[in-house]
Amino acid sequence: VLKNGVNNFILPKIKATLPDHLLFLGNNKSLSFPGIDHLPNRRIEAFSISRYEVSNKEYADFVNQGGYSNPAYWDFPITVKGKTLTFDEAIKNFTDQLGKPGPAGWTYGAYPQGQENLPVTGVSWYEARAYAKFRNLELPNIYQWATAATLSQAINFVPHSNFSKAGLAPVINEVSRNSFGLNNIAGNV
């Protein structure tokens, strides 16, 4: 859509999105959130984003189907503090409480009983990225996240988030939805 010779919306090249995703039109995005407001304006393409955080049950599929042993899901080699790590060296860092592959708070590769609908915690950015690749998805960049989060409307959903409450909210949580219908965009995981 052109307005005064400027393309204000970037229409998607994709024909459909996943049923649990929301589609956002691309645009020229500026960031006005403290801490990231120094980043330059950037044109972003149309994208989709999940309505929900990844649950323990969903992440267990990745663990149980060998996600931690399949290098195709991981971006290696990586460099940490000037040292380049191979897949075999780095994957040893992504273990549960007893040294099995998985999130830090899990035990023997399993999430705590009764927490299947809570969001997965104790994963690094690398693990989150590997999970996204496992699902044929990508992690959102800061511009995409800021667009979907509607931070300018935070007053409407942040008071219902669990910043000051004990414990996590389930991934499907109608109370803390933003105006686009994204659950727990603030204050959960």
Side-chain angles (χ1 to χ4, degrees):
V1 177
L2 292 177
K3 181 177 180 183
N4 298 330
V6 176
N7 187 358
N8 290 319
F9 298 103
I10 302 165
L11 299 175
K13 295 175 186 169
I14 56 178
K15 297 191 186 318
T17 60
L18 298 170
D20 63 343
H21 278 62
L22 292 172
L23 178 64
F24 288 86
L25 298 177
N27 61 26
N28 292 311
K29 183 69 180 166
S30 61
L31 300 170
S32 59
F33 189 71
I36 59 174
D37 53 349
H38 66 284
L39 296 173
N41 290 355
R42 181 172 165 192
R43 180 185 160 145
I44 58 173
E45 300 293 327
F47 66 96
S48 72
I49 194 165
S50 177
R51 293 177 187 266
Y52 313 105
E53 298 159 295
V54 175
S55 71
N56 281 315
K57 184 178 180 182
E58 292 170 318
Y59 198 85
D61 290 342
F62 173 68
V63 173
N64 295 335
Q65 293 183 39
Y68 280 85
S69 60
N70 187 341
Y73 301 131
W74 300 81
D75 296 322
F76 287 100
I78 63 169
T79 302
V80 177
K81 296 181 181 178
K83 182 178 182 199
T84 301
L85 303 175
T86 65
F87 174 78
D88 291 330
E89 292 169 330
I91 205 71
K92 293 175 188 175
N93 295 299
F94 307 126
T95 60
D96 67 18
Q97 295 176 7
L98 298 174
K100 299 289 183 186
W106 290 18
T107 306
Y108 291 116
Y111 53 84
Q113 186 175 8
Q115 295 187 9
E116 60 274 357
N117 295 320
L118 292 180
V120 65
T121 61
V123 295
S124 67
W125 178 88
Y126 297 105
E127 290 164 288
R129 183 158 163 82
Y131 174 81
K133 283 184 169 184
F134 169 74
R135 294 285 187 208
N136 292 318
L137 300 169
E138 295 178 11
L139 296 178
N141 64 41
I142 190 67
Y143 295 91
Q144 293 166 329
W145 180 83
T147 298
T150 60
L151 298 175
S152 63
Q153 299 173 15
I155 195 166
N156 297 323
F157 59 87
V158 168
H160 304 290
S161 299
N162 69 346
F163 282 110
S164 61
K165 300 172 191 154
L168 296 172
V171 295
I172 298 177
N173 181 14
E174 296 176 17
V175 175
S176 69
R177 280 188 181 154
N178 73 2
S179 61
F180 288 129
L182 296 177
N183 290 255
N184 302 322
I185 198 69
N188 211 31
V189 174

